[in-house]
Amino acid sequence: MLPCSLAILLFALSGTLAQDCPAQQRPPQQEPAEGLPNIVIVYADDLGYGDLSIYNPQAAYQTPRLDQMASEGVRFLDAHSPSTICSPSRYGLFSGQLVCRTGRRSTAFEGPGGPSYLAPGQLTLAQMLKRVGYRTGVFGKWHLGLTWYDKEGKRLGGGFENALLIDYQKSTPLEDGPNHRGFDESFVTPNCPTTDPLYVYLENGMVREPASQRHRRENLPNPGGKWRWDNDEGWMAPNYRFVDADLLFYDRTALFIRDHRERFSDQPFFAVLSTQISHAPVLPAEEFRGVTGAGPRGDFVRELDTLVGRLLDLLDELQIDRETLVVFNSDNGPETVHTDWMREDHEHDASGGFRGMKRDGWEGGHRVPLIVRWPGRIPAGRVTRQLANTTDLFATVASIVGYPLSDDDAVDSYDLLPAMLGTRSDDQPIRPYMLTQSFRGEFQLRQGPWKYLDHPGSGGNNYDRGMLKKYALPETAPGATGQLFHLGRDAGETQNLFFAEADKRKEMQALLKRLVGSEGRTAPRDRHPIGINHLQQGETP
């Protein structure tokens, strides 16, 4: 794995290198182990640490089904997204590593933007599971970048108007869509489903209907007179659905699971439900409007909660509840405008008391809910303070299914299975450190209770003006080029110890330089999976 500081120099060659080299280092196709669980990941969008009532007793609404899921599984209190914006975090989920490893800048794709962050030849979570016999599907928001061509065969860049230049015959099947990255079935949108054009549906690498109509936001409802905020007027396909986007994505997920049980019952399945909720614009489906008394966003989150409940009910109906691992996670902290409005209108803190929000390197930008449920395997009602990252889902799943990861795979992924099972106590850290990246790609480093931000300020939002100005805190270390906090004593990141704890700061700066540069990884080498065959019902390894 190239260090982040060198990877960008070789990015132009990455397609060739990725196709030729990593495949030769992969383990051969394995025989499926007996009793492998089905795996479902529900990946929420812009859902903050304080947006679920199980995490936030002062929440302005209740999330009963997710609270129930937590009571039946394990809840992580110190879990983080790899980035504070959408696309790089999705890369972290499917690759097990930070976006800096690609050598590309941190961005959220718009229009026909791409190519995919997932390079050819890079092992993805779905590809790994296919190797051990899984059938795989992804439904909802993709947003990892895609390659589109015009009529001359030239690759198009981002930008809303470029959507009109797409030659769909030349572009499809999409060469770097989900079906070329390990998924057998896919029904996704290229970007944020209701925010960023191109507004089309991609089904198994094909565009169902090209974008031929101009979307006008005035055609959508505007709950509360303001919650339609951040709905861009780009190009869309006929019959594209905005208001009930997540009902559609859930229905496609449920269809995949039902079809799998009817036609492929001898295989385990892997399904990802990648939701729009609670990204802008806030457009709860009709059946959820007004149900919480906490405004449109409260209703929106209740919609997500209900869909998770329907998913759990489906697993129970199909009698596969106890053989299915379900993960709930979010891609970053809550949107700035949403956070402010919910605080002002409903005394609800989507950041859960932490400083910052989406795009920021402070905790509110990347500390997120993480709940995992596997009846009969994961003890019910577990709560852990083990440091965790979305990237860790890769190595954890590999550990469950017995897949031996090479040192070149998922280089920022740790096996959290012992934390889920309770076989490793919180005072025995699984992760000695963790990296995250803010909106501009700048780094934050955790080491125990210590947190170093390799930048001044938020790393994302501007707190000098506008609605965020009231949330600005005094600078306690004027002139510092970075920030150092002790979260055990200062969870709100209020006292910058950059100068006061110079030795610790220098130690963490040196560690950051090594992890980003010469080591090019944060995960340990020579990882060994536990394997389902060593994890019998009612037993722990």
Side-chain angles (χ1 to χ4, degrees):
M1 174 56 58
L2 292 170
C4 291
S5 57
L6 297 179
I8 195 167
L9 301 176
L10 297 178
F11 171 60
L13 301 176
S14 63
T16 302
L17 293 175
Q19 291 184 64
D20 292 345
C21 298
Q24 298 174 5
Q25 301 167 5
R26 304 281 180 228
Q29 182 82 19
Q30 295 176 226
E31 288 296 322
E34 293 183 7
L36 290 179
N38 306 307
I39 300 170
V40 180
I41 296 176
V42 181
Y43 201 43
D45 200 339
D46 291 6
L47 189 83
Y49 187 88
D51 274 327
L52 304 183
S53 50
I54 190 69
Y55 279 91
N56 180 6
Q58 286 76 47
Y61 50 82
Q62 297 297 303
T63 50
R65 298 309 303 270
L66 281 160
D67 293 3
Q68 175 190 348
M69 180 180 167
S71 72
E72 297 171 347
V74 59
R75 175 166 57 105
F76 285 79
L77 300 182
D78 201 357
H80 301 261
S81 58
S83 172
T84 62
I85 58 172
C86 308
S87 300
S89 284
R90 280 165 168 70
Y91 174 76
L93 170 64
F94 291 121
S95 71
Q97 53 198 43
L98 296 167
V99 76
C100 75
R101 311 300 182 193
T102 68
R104 297 167 62 180
R105 69 185 181 93
S106 177
T107 190
F109 295 101
E110 298 178 336
S116 175
Y117 274 142
L118 295 168
Q122 178 180 12
L123 185 68
T124 69
L125 182 57
Q127 288 168 339
M128 182 265 290
L129 288 171
K130 281 177 66 67
R131 287 178 177 269
V132 294
Y134 279 75
R135 185 164 169 266
T136 59
V138 59
F139 310 94
K141 175 177 175 177
W142 182 242
H143 212 195
L144 280 154
L146 292 167
T147 299
W148 301 90
Y149 295 101
D150 65 13
K151 63 182 181 180
E152 306 299 330
K154 180 182 177 182
R155 187 176 71 81
L156 292 167
F160 300 149
E161 296 304 324
N162 275 354
L164 295 178
L165 303 178
I166 295 173
D167 185 306
Y168 289 93
Q169 186 172 0
K170 283 185 168 63
S171 299
T172 57
L174 287 157
E175 64 186 49
D176 49 2
N179 294 71
H180 280 198
R181 296 297 182 266
F183 288 100
D184 296 304
E185 299 286 339
S186 65
F187 182 88
V188 299
T189 60
N191 305 318
C192 293
T194 63
T195 305
D196 301 323
L198 176 72
Y199 296 130
V200 296
Y201 298 120
L202 313 175
E203 187 166 16
N204 295 328
M206 303 300 293
V207 176
R208 297 183 68 188
E209 292 184 275
S212 59
Q213 298 178 357
R214 183 75 177 187
H215 165 62
R216 302 293 180 189
R217 69 175 62 92
E218 64 190 25
N219 294 328
L220 298 178
N222 190 18
K226 61 184 180 183
W227 288 96
R228 190 174 58 196
W229 173 82
D230 200 22
N231 170 243
D232 292 326
E233 295 188 334
W235 293 93
M236 72 173 191
N239 304 310
Y240 191 84
R241 294 162 60 175
F242 287 86
V243 175
D244 58 352
D246 285 292
L247 297 185
L248 173 61
F249 300 150
Y250 170 76
D251 286 345
R252 293 304 299 250
T253 306
L255 179 64
F256 170 80
I257 294 173
R258 288 186 182 278
D259 178 69
H260 180 91
R261 292 298 298 164
E262 291 179 4
R263 300 173 54 213
F264 305 96
S265 59
D266 59 332
Q267 285 182 267
F269 67 80
F270 170 53
V272 180
L273 170 56
S274 182
T275 77
Q276 161 73 5
I277 301 171
S278 55
H279 198 284
V282 174
L283 301 173
E286 184 175 0
E287 64 184 282
F288 297 99
R289 295 173 193 168
V291 298
T292 65
R297 191 173 182 276
D299 299 341
F300 211 29
V301 177
R302 176 65 67 81
E303 179 180 345
L304 173 62
D305 180 75
T306 301
L307 293 179
V308 173
R310 290 177 184 175
L311 172 64
L312 297 177
D313 291 344
L314 174 64
L315 300 176
D316 184 59
E317 173 197 333
L318 297 176
Q319 299 182 341
I320 55 174
D321 184 56
R322 293 180 66 83
E323 56 196 78
T324 303
L325 172 75
V326 181
V327 178
F328 181 87
N329 192 213
S330 178
D331 65 351
N332 47 249
E335 180 57 82
T336 54
V337 174
H338 296 179
T339 304
D340 180 65
W341 289 346
M342 289 301 289
R343 287 172 177 171
E344 294 291 325
D345 298 347
H346 301 286
E347 297 182 347
H348 172 86
D349 187 1
S351 293
F354 292 104
R355 185 181 184 185
M357 49 201 83
K358 180 178 178 178
R359 300 178 190 85
D360 293 338
W362 297 315
E363 289 293 284
H366 52 82
R367 191 180 290 227
V368 293
L370 175 59
I371 301 170
V372 185
R373 176 184 184 271
W374 188 7
R377 305 286 189 169
I378 292 176
R382 271 194 52 71
V383 179
T384 177
R385 294 187 177 275
Q386 285 278 2
L387 188 61
N389 195 285
T390 300
T391 57
D392 297 332
L393 295 177
F394 201 121
T396 304
V397 168
S399 181
I400 292 170
V401 303
Y403 187 92
L405 292 173
S406 79
D407 287 344
D408 292 327
D409 296 327
V411 299
D412 295 299
S413 189
Y414 280 76
D415 179 6
L416 298 178
L417 187 56
M420 295 177 183
L421 298 173
T423 58
R424 186 151 173 169
S425 65
D426 287 355
D427 58 8
Q428 297 176 298
I430 293 173
R431 272 185 163 275
Y433 36 68
M434 179 192 71
L435 282 179
T436 55
Q437 292 185 263
S438 62
F439 176 61
R440 294 188 292 265
E442 294 170 314
F443 293 101
Q444 302 83 46
L445 172 64
R446 271 286 299 278
Q447 187 183 40
W450 290 97
K451 179 178 178 182
Y452 172 69
L453 296 85
D454 197 38
H455 55 85
S458 76
N461 298 302
N462 186 343
Y463 286 78
D464 293 333
R465 62 177 185 269
M467 68 168 56
L468 297 185
K469 187 173 182 179
K470 59 179 169 286
Y471 302 119
L473 297 179
E475 177 53 66
T476 57
T481 57
Q483 299 163 82
L484 179 67
F485 301 106
H486 189 287
L487 298 183
R489 300 191 294 261
D490 180 22
E493 297 172 283
T494 63
Q495 297 296 315
N496 186 359
L497 305 175
F498 187 90
F499 297 120
E501 297 283 354
D503 289 345
K504 185 63 182 179
R505 181 248 302 169
K506 292 175 183 177
E507 173 192 332
M508 294 190 73
Q509 286 174 325
L511 175 60
L512 174 63
K513 183 177 181 180
R514 194 172 79 241
L515 296 176
V516 172
S518 59
E519 287 195 16
R521 63 187 303 112
T522 58
R525 298 181 184 274
D526 195 28
R527 291 162 289 185
H528 296 285
I530 294 171
I532 188 70
N533 293 335
H534 297 94
L535 183 62
Q536 300 304 318
Q537 191 80 13
E539 297 181 4
T540 55

